[in-house]
Amino acid sequence: MRTAYQEQLHSLNVILGEMCDLAGSAMSRATQSLLQADLAIAEDVISENERMNDLTGRAEEQAFGLLALQAPVAGDLRGVVSALQIVADVDRMGALALHVAKVARRRHPAKALPEEVAGYFAEMGRLAVQLAENAREALDTQDPASAIRLEEDDDAMDDLHRHLFTVLMDRDWKHGVAAAVDITLLGRYYERFADHAVLIGRRVVFQATGKTPEQLNA
């Protein structure tokens, strides 16, 4: 029975890893559409979100099947519950990439980003993709150390997000309220994307050890 459970949980984690890849790819292309005002790429990101919805449904179905058919307890139950939480996190990452693409589409043919902040978002996009890749690696390896390291990249994202506000609050800002609102929302989308990747890392730690990162480091 336990062998069957482990095989099914591994299969579930494979789907979660695929979802991480999809979220990272979506954010990469959404960022490209944002920086280049590329409507075709934005439309691709939006239309391909259905793939994330399909994977979310498959992952949830498989997790609930594990609960119903395997009746896991203790550590096994911990693995399934954590997996269900990860499903929600990765699904949200995909939704945040979708939001970025929709901003690019809404502002087309103009660019949504003034040149003063384009570099910030290029770097935030790079970090977001890296976080998605590292979340995938943590899921694959179930290594608590690599899962905890996700927080380091999140710190870099938080720094960029804070610096954005120094640009927006500058008295020489000349791009108006609409651009400031877009930039505020976009910065939040990238920050939340990173936060969900960190949560995946924390859940992997709990899956693997039964402890939080704080408990491990105590």
Side-chain angles (χ1 to χ4, degrees):
M1 182 69 77
R2 181 166 177 80
T3 299
Y5 163 82
Q6 291 293 345
E7 290 175 351
Q8 291 177 44
L9 184 60
H10 173 73
S11 176
L12 175 56
N13 277 338
V14 168
I15 297 174
L16 295 177
E18 187 177 348
M19 290 173 70
C20 284
D21 287 344
L22 196 60
S25 174
M27 186 56 96
S28 175
R29 289 178 297 134
T31 302
Q32 184 181 355
S33 73
L34 189 68
L35 294 171
Q36 300 175 3
D38 192 314
L39 181 61
I41 295 175
E43 293 286 10
D44 284 345
V45 173
I46 293 165
S47 63
E48 290 173 11
N49 188 61
E50 192 61 36
R51 174 63 178 158
M52 180 67 82
N53 293 337
D54 290 343
L55 288 173
T56 297
R58 282 177 53 197
E60 288 177 341
E61 181 179 357
Q62 195 152 337
F64 287 129
L66 274 167
L67 289 173
L69 299 177
Q70 299 293 345
V73 296
D76 291 348
L77 180 62
R78 181 180 73 226
V80 180
V81 171
S82 296
L84 273 169
Q85 293 172 318
I86 292 169
V87 172
D89 287 321
V90 191
D91 183 71
R92 187 59 188 154
M93 289 164 70
L96 290 161
L98 183 66
H99 292 336
V100 173
K102 285 182 176 179
V103 172
R105 181 177 68 176
R106 186 171 68 248
R107 295 301 179 194
H108 186 269
K111 288 185 177 181
L113 300 175
E115 287 302 317
E116 291 97 316
V117 298
Y120 287 94
F121 282 95
E123 180 62 9
M124 291 170 83
R126 186 194 69 78
L127 284 172
V129 173
Q130 182 176 319
L131 279 156
E133 291 173 350
N134 291 348
R136 166 65 185 263
E137 180 183 354
L139 282 164
D140 285 347
T141 63
Q142 293 288 295
D143 175 33
S146 64
I148 290 172
R149 282 196 296 272
L150 282 159
E151 298 201 18
E152 296 175 7
D153 291 329
D154 183 52
D155 289 341
M157 183 73 83
D158 288 341
D159 286 343
L160 285 166
H161 188 241
R162 281 192 295 270
H163 289 157
L164 265 181
F165 284 96
T166 66
V167 178
L168 291 175
M169 298 301 292
D170 193 299
R171 66 180 63 187
D172 293 327
W173 177 259
K174 58 181 181 295
H175 301 287
V177 174
V181 170
D182 277 347
I183 291 165
T184 301
L185 288 173
L186 286 163
R188 182 63 172 161
Y189 297 153
Y190 284 89
E191 182 197 32
R192 291 301 298 153
F193 187 100
D195 288 345
H196 282 288
V198 170
L199 283 172
I200 291 171
R202 293 179 66 86
R203 301 192 203 288
V204 168
V205 171
F206 187 67
Q207 269 187 330
T209 68
K211 296 180 179 180
T212 66
E214 291 79 13
Q215 289 170 329
L216 280 182
N217 293 328

